[in-house]
């Protein structure tokens, strides 16, 4: 069983930064991919970024390229999402998700989900 716990959300002004964490348990780091998704009120859940935990290759949505950075700490079994130059349109609940395979960009390809953490960017 894989468990994911997000943390680090909050309220920030436009142009500010936040770092989200996704702590994982279980055997995720050797064979899994982990993705970050977000869902704003009234909108579908959308892909943000993902990382192959074995090797570290990454894939970013165009909307966050150059502003967001995903990284991993294998010793802590934790994946981080550094979010810089935040915009009001980044406001959403952010979820981390895991799948036993390579990076994917659609929510239904992921088997395990965290509970989500709210990110609110004020203008």
């Amino acid at each position: 069983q894989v468990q994911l716990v997000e943390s680090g959300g909050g309220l920030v002004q436009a142009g500010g930064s936040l770092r989200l964490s996704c702590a994982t348990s279980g055997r995720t780091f050797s064979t899994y991919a982990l993705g970050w998704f977000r869902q704003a009120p009234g909108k579908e859940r959308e892909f943000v970024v993902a990382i192959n935990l074995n090797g570290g290759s990454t894939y970013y949505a165009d909307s966050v390229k150059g502003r967001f950075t995903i990284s991993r700490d294998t010793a802590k079994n934790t994946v981080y999402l550094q979010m810089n130059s935040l915009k009001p349109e980044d406001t959403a609940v952010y979820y981390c998700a895991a799948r036993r395979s390579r990076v994917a960009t659609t929510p239904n390809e992921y088997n395990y989900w965290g509970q989500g953490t709210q990110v609110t960017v004020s203008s």
Side-chain angles (χ1 to χ4, degrees):
Q1 183 69 16
V2 174
Q3 292 184 325
L4 307 172
V5 179
E6 304 100 332
S7 61
L11 173 64
V12 64
Q13 289 188 331
S17 299
L18 282 174
R19 189 178 78 159
L20 306 183
S21 300
C22 178
T24 73
S25 64
R27 295 185 177 182
T28 54
F29 261 75
S30 61
T31 59
Y32 281 67
L34 193 141
W36 285 97
F37 291 79
R38 65 187 181 186
Q39 188 166 18
K43 295 188 176 181
E44 294 186 351
R45 193 165 295 189
E46 67 171 355
F47 172 76
V48 177
V49 60
I51 186 169
N52 282 316
L53 298 181
N54 182 15
S57 58
T58 58
Y59 187 84
Y60 290 85
D62 288 342
S63 59
V64 305
K65 280 181 181 176
R67 300 189 299 123
F68 291 11
T69 303
I70 190 170
S71 62
R72 74 199 197 280
D73 184 332
T74 55
K76 296 182 178 180
N77 283 356
T78 299
V79 173
Y80 302 99
L81 180 62
Q82 178 66 43
M83 304 186 295
N84 299 328
S85 302
L86 282 161
K87 305 174 182 179
E89 51 263 43
D90 293 319
T91 296
V93 177
Y94 282 71
Y95 299 90
C96 66
R99 68 190 299 261
R100 191 186 177 103
S101 187
R102 297 183 60 82
V103 164
T105 61
T106 57
N108 61 6
E109 295 180 276
Y110 286 78
N111 307 107
Y112 305 98
W113 290 85
Q115 81 287 353
T117 186
Q118 177 71 47
V119 171
T120 303
V121 184
S122 63
S123 57

